[in-house]
Amino acid sequence: MASLRIRAAKEGDCGDILRLIRELAECEKLSDQVQISEEALRADGFGENPFYHCVVAEILPAHGEPRGPQVVGYGLYYFIYSTWKGRNVYLEDIYVMPEHRGQGIGSKIIQKVAEVALDKGCTQFRLAVLDWNKRAIDLYKALGARDLTEAEGWHSFRFEREAMRELAGR
């Protein structure tokens, strides 16, 4: 019988992480927006000052199985700062391959990121979810997350590259 391991990603996992990023984008009907490369993931996550951190969910084969470990999910996160609360962690992506869902893998990824956050002295763990993803919303609420749009009316905004250029006068 195979078992599951949640572990910190290694530089050699970048190919699997990119594969899963593409699957997630396809699931969200946003495939055309994926512009990241495996090389950029390596440089940005495994250099001297990483921009992100990542955990992977790996299925370990049963003893005697010829196939090696298989990466079936990931959680990509980074640290942010709240002027009111201090250190925070932001989970940018969480994804588990469809054929491995319903086994608690997503919850274990979230649990691992929460452990990292607590070890780093974070006071909050933040994430965003598309409004149509009811299954994920229900999971996050069941795990104890508060929906800030419902509770406090917060809305998320983003400046894209062209808007940033305009703002910066470039």
Side-chain angles (χ1 to χ4, degrees):
M1 177 158 117
S3 61
L4 176 73
R5 173 172 59 190
I6 308 294
R7 62 168 174 79
K10 301 176 202 162
E11 190 172 346
D13 293 318
C14 288
D16 283 321
I17 295 167
L18 181 58
R19 170 181 55 84
L20 295 171
I21 288 169
R22 288 181 176 145
E23 284 185 27
L24 172 61
E26 187 176 313
C27 173
E28 293 179 344
K29 297 173 181 48
L30 298 170
S31 294
D32 59 319
Q33 294 187 29
V34 177
Q35 297 176 8
I36 197 79
S37 68
E38 190 173 331
E39 294 75 25
L41 286 171
R42 274 194 191 92
D44 293 343
F46 298 92
E48 190 173 314
N49 294 305
F51 277 83
Y52 74 88
H53 305 275
C54 189
V55 295
V56 294
E58 186 176 58
I59 301 289
L60 303 172
H63 183 70
E65 282 186 24
R67 189 169 75 172
Q70 178 190 13
V71 175
V72 299
Y74 76 104
L76 191 143
Y77 63 94
Y78 48 88
F79 297 98
I80 58 175
Y81 200 80
S82 164
T83 56
W84 293 359
K85 301 285 184 173
R87 296 175 183 182
N88 282 221
V89 68
Y90 187 85
L91 183 61
E92 176 70 20
D93 280 355
I94 179 170
Y95 179 75
V96 175
M97 294 170 62
E99 60 268 29
H100 296 282
R101 293 181 188 161
Q103 302 173 41
I105 296 173
S107 295
K108 288 178 179 158
I109 291 171
I110 291 169
Q111 177 184 10
K112 185 67 163 181
V113 174
E115 289 171 8
V116 169
L118 290 171
D119 289 347
K120 295 287 188 181
C122 294
T123 61
Q124 295 179 330
F125 176 163
R126 295 176 173 259
L127 55 90
V129 61
L130 292 168
D131 59 1
W132 58 260
N133 195 342
K134 183 163 173 28
R135 186 172 176 183
I137 291 168
D138 291 345
L139 172 64
Y140 304 150
K141 286 180 178 181
L143 292 173
R146 287 183 62 213
D147 183 334
L148 295 179
T149 304
E150 284 178 2
E152 299 176 12
W154 288 98
H155 289 268
S156 230
F157 290 88
R158 170 175 69 203
F159 290 96
E160 298 290 347
R161 184 180 308 267
E162 193 53 42
M164 289 188 303
R165 283 185 180 137
E166 203 168 306
L167 279 169
R170 295 184 184 174

